[in-house]
Amino acid sequence: MFRKRNLKWLSIIATLIMAWVQLGGALVTKTGSEDGCGTDWPLCHGALIPDSMPIQTVIELNHRAVSALSLIFVLWLVIVAWRHIGYIKEVKPLCIISVGFLLIQALIGAAAVVWQQNAYVLALHFGISLVSFSSVFVLTLIIFEVDRKYDADELYIHKPLRILTWMMAGIVYLTIYTGALVRHKKASLAYGDWPIPFSDPLPHSVIDWVNFTHRCMAIIAFIWILITFIHAIKNYSENRTIRYGYTAAFILIILQVITGALSVITHVNLIIALLHALIITILFGLIAYFMVLMIRTIRSGH
């Protein structure tokens, strides 16, 4: 059960389940299913499986079940990884982060149900679970020896790209938080047309400002990733890890902007909205891997 040969399939399953947790949370919010089980947790309307099962209750129960399943598989993965590849310097910190943030995510989700937290607190939920997903995602890359395949374990990254990447991580995380706030404030269709309502561009209400702030952060994130991508390609053209990684990040931010625009244009089509959540999840997971590469360089002391 805790053998090393289980690592690869365990890491794949854990990563997929964590991705579904992200999508499930977005689905709960987009469909207004936050109160699908009332104010009961971990029970649903006072029962393990309630008699009445409207679609909102089904969606909320599904999200809770997948979240519980994620805890089981992530713990399983962490135990096996700690035991068999814990000698790799990044493995133990990633194990601690993945489990720790997963537990924090569960506690915030439970508190949101029981005490009906405000939107600004609820917006943290997506970002916290995203950190847990990213740590599992990076752990999976290490398990599949992506570092060795692309010589990333011997890569030295100079200070300019390190600064650009750390800034990129912060900007993208703030963009994610404001995007989650848009969902929880029911502000997806606030502020008007995309990219801006040219006839009346000044925000007037709180939800207008929330939506406007997210659009501004999205523009900043796009520009910053573009700048980082150009710098990376120009200065590390011979290195596959940097070339492929930062190209993928740039493609993902383009897709993120497109799905964000389509969400407004289609009046929050559910499939597009979920795709929007999935793309940012993958993008942040990739950025988390970049951060591991930065830390390795700093640790090398060159």
Side-chain angles (χ1 to χ4, degrees), residues 239-251:
N239 187 277
R240 291 187 299 169
T241 301
I242 298 298
R243 190 170 71 248
Y244 293 164
Y246 284 83
T247 299
F250 183 55
I251 292 171

Side-chain angles (χ1 to χ4, degrees), residues 88-105:
I88 300 174
K89 290 182 179 180
E90 293 86 9
V91 167
K92 289 183 178 179
L94 287 171
C95 289
I96 293 170
I97 291 169
S98 60
V99 174
F101 276 81
L102 190 57
L103 291 173
I104 294 170
Q105 168 208 350

